[in-house]
Amino acid sequence: MKNIRAYLLIGFILTLSIKTTAQQIQLSALETKIDALIPSKVKDSTPGLVIGIVKNGALIFKKGYGLANLAYGIPNDSKMVYNLGSVSKQFIGYAFAILHTQGKLHLDDSVSKYLDNWPEFEHTITIRHLLTHTSGYREAYTMSELAGRVIGVDRLTKEECLNVIRKQPKLEYIPGTRHTYNSTAYVVLAEILKKVTNTPADVWVETNLLQPLEMNNTQIESHVGEVIINAAESYAFNQKEGYTNEHSNRAIFGAADVYSSVEDLAKWFAIFRSDVIGGDDVRKVFVEPYILKDGIDSEYALGIRTNTHNGLKVHYHTGGHERFSTQMRYYPDHDLGIIVISNFGSYGDVSDKKIGELLLAEYMTEAPQKELKQVSVPTKDLARLEGLYISKKLNATLELRMFDESLLLNGRNQLIPTSNNTFGIQGWTGNIEINHSTNGTTYLSITDWLKETYYKVEKWKDDNVALTSYEGKYWSDELKTCYHLQVKDDTLTLQHRWLGTLLLRPISKDFFRSNKGFYVKFMRNEEGKIKGFNVNSERTTNVYFQRSK
């Protein structure tokens, strides 16, 4: 009997040893594959990144690359804390999912219900609009830049962020009709959370989310200069100055300013897989993406994105602050979480998608190729579509050109006609449709994730109008700042006491692009004289400057 027990024990030990060895080999192979993804600029003596992989609630892989602190030679590792940037938004999002499920508020309540002396607009803005970036509010960071302030250098306070919305003359668009990423909305949400719970947002999140998950090393920065325990530094690099230590001059919880480690973030994935905080009811609210009023899925839920990756459902978000860059993604059907944090900006980035593909390749399917049934369209009809197109939001352009009897988009992608007015691109699942209105305007609509519409314009011609006609002083009452426009060396320049001198390149009549990336659209009165202009950028549109008499 003793011998039988001994053999059984030996057999069990051998089986366990084989399983352990197999796991070690598997993880060793994974480490080799991940190591191969590390950018060549990351060395033992440079800033770098840290990676974590969580499977079935366990942190099965954690590794740091490069240094967390150059001055003291401290390496990046899974216990160091890093500024998560916009990945922080999901903590606020989950908080509101809890409060909604508990009946302490409703996501479709108006914002003004909870905030005193808050501006009312023509259309109601709800808490859900704020959470899903569909509100139509101004974006404070962009507005500060237009005023000549350098984000990260000049101090930006919570009150200044809120005042950007208070001074906003009108909404940028009807709430729910557009998804435009807006960090300022999350500053507002933190104020609502405080009002509803009678507790500062950072304290509520720490007490009700971080502590129950035992995320004991995670810290929320509440004021500029606060000492964050065990924090890594972030770095930029250029040939002239070498490495520079990047710092932030804002600490406004809601949109960002959570510091956490790979080991703590591994615990956060529990909200997707257990009933530790809220359970299924809260989770469903948290990950449900917002559907825009035109029926298009915005793919954005409450501080987190929800869509598919090669056929697998995924929840994810990215963040950037100082020179920290954070990626987090979770595949719910495989209980797999991936964390990648760089303290070297883009130099230290490794795609979390690629890591997901390494781990889940056998379960993934290639995105189905859209079958393009090409039709014959006369070359002369295609040629009529050539030209410059401007976004209806006046913050982007594209161009169609003929080449070898085909239309090229921005000189790169061949448009394949699928009807007389619809086109596709090989390997792309989207669609382009071109139509002509009754007034003769040609419109181009691109439908992929969201829908964007452009209209055709005449390109700028030197004899269109004299550049000197745009010269003058222009005042923004909203920003309380003045732009001086002057022609120098045959170029229209924009001068500002803090922005310095910017170049305005003509694209079409009354439409210019600055070398800072924003667009300027001049407005004329009934007599055809220039009365002012609007500034339009990726996140903010229709910031008006009145021409001084």
Side-chain angles (χ1 to χ4, degrees):
M1 188 70 174
K2 288 182 179 179
N3 288 338
I4 292 174
R5 287 177 178 173
Y7 284 129
L8 288 173
L9 180 59
I10 291 170
F12 173 75
I13 292 172
L14 286 173
T15 302
L16 181 62
S17 176
I18 290 169
K19 287 182 178 179
T20 303
T21 302
Q23 185 181 33
Q24 288 173 344
I25 292 172
Q26 183 180 4
L27 291 179
S28 176
L30 174 61
E31 182 174 5
T32 300
K33 291 179 179 179
I34 290 177
D35 286 351
L37 297 176
I38 303 304
S40 59
K41 290 184 181 295
V42 175
K43 311 291 184 184
D44 290 342
S45 59
T46 72
L49 68 156
V50 59
I51 295 174
I53 298 172
V54 183
K55 177 65 177 170
N56 298 329
L59 184 60
I60 64 168
F61 179 89
K62 55 183 180 180
K63 187 172 181 180
Y65 302 83
L67 298 176
N69 186 297
L70 297 185
Y72 296 99
I74 301 172
N76 283 312
D77 69 35
S78 60
K79 291 184 172 64
M80 298 288 291
V81 298
Y82 303 77
N83 193 310
L84 303 182
S86 288
V87 167
S88 307
K89 288 181 171 66
Q90 59 195 280
F91 298 109
I92 285 286
Y94 201 79
F96 273 88
I98 290 173
L99 295 173
H100 172 86
T101 305
Q102 292 177 344
K104 295 180 179 179
L105 56 75
H106 196 286
L107 295 182
D108 294 315
D109 288 339
S110 69
V111 174
S112 57
K113 176 179 178 180
Y114 298 97
L115 299 180
D116 298 329
N117 301 316
W118 193 248
E120 296 278 3
F121 294 93
E122 181 181 357
H123 303 278
T124 300
I125 299 94
T126 67
I127 294 172
R128 195 187 303 273
H129 290 142
L130 296 181
L131 287 160
T132 57
H133 304 288
T134 58
S135 67
Y137 281 156
R138 291 282 202 227
E139 223 275 355
Y141 302 152
T142 305
M143 293 295 285
S144 294
E145 289 171 354
L146 292 176
R149 304 179 68 183
V150 179
I151 301 301
V153 176
D154 296 308
R155 181 67 58 87
L156 183 64
T157 67
K158 176 182 70 176
E159 197 62 24
E160 286 175 309
C161 286
L162 298 174
N163 282 339
V164 164
I165 298 173
R166 292 188 179 112
K167 294 176 181 177
Q168 185 172 345
K170 62 180 181 180
L171 293 174
E172 294 194 348
Y173 53 86
I174 298 173
T177 62
R178 188 190 301 175
H179 172 85
T180 302
Y181 197 83
N182 188 328
S183 288
T184 309
Y186 275 72
V187 180
V188 180
L189 286 165
E191 289 298 290
I192 295 174
L193 193 154
K194 178 182 177 181
K195 186 79 171 183
V196 171
T197 64
N198 199 32
T199 307
D202 56 337
V203 175
W204 193 96
V205 167
E206 287 174 349
T207 303
N208 295 277
L209 299 183
L210 304 184
Q211 290 177 12
L213 292 171
E214 297 184 353
M215 295 174 65
N216 300 322
N217 294 317
T218 301
Q219 300 155 70
I220 300 175
E221 186 180 25
S222 59
H223 60 270
V224 174
E226 181 178 0
V227 175
I228 304 297
I229 305 302
N230 202 33
E233 302 283 355
S234 73
Y235 298 89
F237 178 83
N238 63 65
Q239 292 294 336
K240 183 179 179 181
E241 298 176 334
Y243 292 103
T244 54
N245 194 193
E246 298 297 301
H247 291 287
S248 171
N249 214 4
R250 72 175 193 264
I252 311 168
F253 176 59
D257 298 307
V258 173
Y259 284 77
S260 191
S261 66
V262 160
E263 299 205 9
D264 265 17
L265 290 174
K267 300 172 184 177
W268 175 249
F269 288 120
I271 65 166
F272 295 103
R273 60 185 301 274
S274 73
D275 293 331
V276 64
I277 303 176
D280 283 340
D281 289 343
V282 174
R283 186 160 44 249
K284 288 176 183 177
V285 173
F286 176 56
V287 300
E288 184 68 26
Y290 185 80
I291 306 301
L292 298 175
K293 288 190 175 181
D294 60 5
I296 293 177
D297 186 348
S298 74
E299 299 183 357
Y300 200 95
L302 309 190
I304 195 162
R305 298 188 185 278
T306 296
N307 57 24
T308 58
H309 175 201
N310 289 352
L312 301 183
K313 189 173 183 179
V314 63
H315 308 302
Y316 68 99
H317 212 288
T318 60
H321 193 72
E322 300 168 18
R323 284 298 185 273
F324 291 109
S325 174
T326 306
Q327 303 167 72
M328 281 186 68
R329 66 176 40 229
Y330 180 75
Y331 297 89
D333 295 334
H334 295 271
D335 198 5
L336 176 73
I338 299 168
I339 307 157
V340 181
I341 309 175
S342 165
N343 68 331
F344 201 14
S346 60
Y347 289 150
D349 269 347
V350 167
S351 170
D352 58 347
K353 289 182 66 174
K354 287 186 178 179
I355 295 175
E357 290 162 7
L358 284 178
L359 295 163
L360 299 174
E362 62 182 299
Y363 304 103
M364 290 183 169
T365 58
E366 291 293 330
Q369 290 293 311
K370 184 178 181 180
E371 185 179 357
L372 297 177
K373 296 182 179 179
Q374 184 169 351
V375 302
S376 178
V377 177
T379 303
K380 61 181 178 61
D381 291 341
L382 293 176
R384 292 192 186 102
L385 303 178
E386 273 192 305
L388 176 70
Y389 292 77
I390 294 176
S391 165
K392 286 187 72 174
K393 293 184 287 187
L394 300 175
N395 62 357
T397 65
L398 58 83
E399 189 169 7
L400 300 184
R401 292 181 184 175
M402 288 294 296
F403 178 78
D404 196 21
E405 299 186 348
S406 295
L407 275 175
L408 294 185
L409 175 63
N410 291 335
R412 295 188 298 272
N413 302 110
Q414 180 185 354
L415 298 189
I416 300 173
T418 54
S419 76
N420 286 334
N421 71 324
T422 59
F423 301 83
I425 296 173
Q426 198 64 47
W428 176 55
T429 58
N431 180 67
I432 293 175
E433 182 176 342
I434 303 177
N435 291 298
H436 308 284
S437 67
T438 54
N439 65 4
T441 303
T442 300
Y443 288 95
L444 182 153
S445 296
I446 299 178
T447 304
D448 186 10
W449 165 39
L450 299 175
K451 184 177 180 179
E452 295 287 345
T453 301
Y454 295 73
Y455 64 97
K456 188 178 178 182
V457 297
E458 290 291 331
K459 280 188 179 181
W460 172 269
K461 296 178 181 178
D462 289 340
D463 59 354
N464 262 352
V465 62
L467 285 176
T468 53
S469 66
Y470 297 103
E471 290 184 322
K473 292 172 60 177
Y474 296 80
W475 170 259
S476 169
D477 197 52
E478 187 177 359
L479 291 173
K480 302 299 183 201
T481 198
C482 183
Y483 287 174
H484 297 261
L485 271 56
Q486 184 178 358
V487 176
K488 289 186 176 181
D489 298 326
D490 298 324
T491 300
L492 185 63
T493 65
L494 184 157
Q495 298 173 54
H496 184 268
R497 60 183 298 188
W498 293 308
L499 287 171
T501 299
L502 306 183
L503 306 181
L504 297 181
R505 301 292 186 186
I507 294 175
S508 182
K509 181 182 177 181
D510 294 342
F511 190 66
F512 291 71
R513 187 181 192 275
S514 79
N515 58 326
K516 289 280 284 186
F518 62 79
Y519 292 83
V520 172
K521 173 61 176 175
F522 288 90
M523 320 293 288
R524 295 178 180 270
N525 60 23
E526 294 179 355
E527 299 173 349
K529 294 181 179 180
I530 295 171
K531 62 179 182 178
F533 61 74
N534 278 328
V535 173
N536 304 287
S537 65
E538 181 182 358
R539 294 190 183 183
T540 300
T541 59
N542 298 325
V543 181
Y544 186 63
F545 284 75
Q546 176 75 40
R547 191 177 197 176
S548 300
K549 295 181 179 179

